[in-house]
Structures are given as structure tokens and as C-alpha cells.
Amino acid sequence: MALTFYWYPNCGTCQKAKKWLNDHQLTYTEIHIVENPPSRDKITEMYQKSGLELKKFFNTSGHKYRELGLKDKMKSATEQELMDLLASDGMLIKRPLLTNGEKVTVGFKADAFEKVWL
């Protein structure tokens, strides 16, 4: 299956992930995560297939996360409310997000990419 690479071009981690993908000659479609954030349904699908906690999908070091006080809200918000937040603003999503429709990685660590994508 084709890879979809959700990224933010100004993000250093995203740039490293893109270089890794190119170095390993993997074909992907890139999507600017802020201009075209994944839909709520797409986020839900990726979350369910990832096996990760939902909070792993949040860019916890981002300005927007802190501005909205999400650290405290994470404890009491429902899964639906958190999905809605993620779908509302691409800057809230940890990046890059990489998926082939079956597998999902959030963020970039070369060893994790090797295990999942090679």
C-alpha cells in the first residue's frame, strides 16, 4: 500500500523523517498537516490501527497545546472530545504521521521507522 506522510515543512523532525524516507527510496504522498489536517474519521482510524494511547497523537510540546491548557483537559476529556480537538487544528497533532492504511507511526525515530516501514 502507498504511504501517506502528514508533515509540517518547518518541523525539523519532519524534515529528518522525509530524508529517511527518501534515503530508503520509499514512495509516499506528502500532505501538509496544517493546511490539510486529517479528518476526524481518518484520525480515529489511524489511532485504532496504531495501538498507541490517544495522547501520543498530541503535539504536547507545541505552543497551541500549551495555549489551550490541554495537559489538564486530557485527564477529563472524552475520547470523542480529544478526536475533535485533533481534527480541529493540525498543529495539535504530533508529527510526522505516516500510514499505509494498515500501519501507523507517530513522530520520528529511525529505529522505529526501520521496524515498521522496511
Side-chain angles (χ1 to χ4, degrees):
M1 282 188 141
L3 291 173
T4 303
F5 179 60
Y6 291 93
W7 78 312
Y8 182 59
N10 295 343
C11 166
T13 304
C14 293
Q15 292 168 7
K16 288 176 189 172
K18 185 175 181 176
K19 180 181 183 328
W20 187 94
L21 292 169
N22 292 337
D23 288 349
H24 290 85
Q25 301 175 350
L26 295 173
T27 305
Y28 56 91
T29 300
E30 62 184 58
I31 298 176
H32 192 297
I33 201 165
V34 176
E35 293 175 0
N36 297 298
S39 68
R40 186 184 189 288
D41 289 343
K42 182 58 82 176
I43 291 169
T44 300
E45 179 186 324
M46 287 190 281
Y47 162 61
Q48 290 170 344
K49 291 184 177 183
S50 73
L52 298 170
E53 299 176 67
L54 186 53
K55 78 176 184 183
K56 296 285 186 189
F57 278 78
F58 280 86
N59 177 14
T60 57
S61 61
H63 176 73
K64 190 80 167 188
Y65 181 88
R66 290 190 305 270
E67 184 181 286
L68 295 174
L70 292 181
K71 182 179 181 184
D72 296 327
K73 291 180 186 174
M74 294 289 280
K75 297 169 188 150
S76 61
T78 67
E79 188 173 286
Q80 303 305 321
E81 290 169 331
L82 295 175
M83 292 292 183
D84 288 340
L85 274 169
L86 286 168
S88 74
D89 189 335
M91 291 302 278
L92 289 174
I93 302 171
K94 185 170 179 80
R95 54 192 183 260
L97 269 178
L98 188 61
T99 184
N100 66 359
E102 294 300 318
K103 298 183 273 186
V104 179
T105 53
V106 180
F108 173 68
K109 289 196 166 101
D111 58 339
F113 265 40
E114 282 183 32
K115 286 179 188 168
V116 176
W117 305 116
L118 291 183

